[in-house]
Amino acid sequence: MSDSPPWIGGVMVGTLLLAALVLITYTLLPLPGQERLGEGNYLLAAALFAANIAFPRLLRRGRRARRRRTERRR
């Protein structure tokens, strides 16, 4: 069983779907605002994919650091 908060799964799925949505809509049927961004849409999708990977790792690292501090106090 994981000690992750329950909302982390929703954030991960949300960022993954949002990145896919940006790529799909830009390549198949660009929305009006997306045409102004141009190639920046790929950077936006890459940033969302990176957030999808980095966010849970940062949370895990923070929990480990807090756990070490509480163990040192004992």
Side-chain angles (χ1 to χ4, degrees):
M1 181 74 122
S2 175
D3 62 345
S4 297
W7 51 267
I8 191 74
V11 170
M12 288 182 67
V13 169
T15 55
L16 184 65
L17 290 178
L18 190 59
L21 186 68
V22 167
L23 288 175
I24 290 170
T25 57
Y26 179 65
T27 55
L28 298 179
L29 182 65
L31 300 172
Q34 284 182 314
E35 292 176 350
R36 273 186 281 160
L37 274 177
E39 301 297 318
N41 286 298
Y42 295 117
L43 293 174
L44 176 63
L48 288 168
F49 278 127
N52 186 25
I53 294 169
F55 188 63
R57 291 181 182 200
L58 289 173
L59 283 176
R60 191 175 319 132
R61 183 175 293 168
R63 280 195 310 269
R64 285 182 187 163
R66 270 184 258 126
R67 199 175 301 141
R68 280 189 219 124
R69 278 184 290 206
T70 58
E71 288 174 359
R72 288 180 191 164
R73 291 180 189 167
R74 293 181 185 181

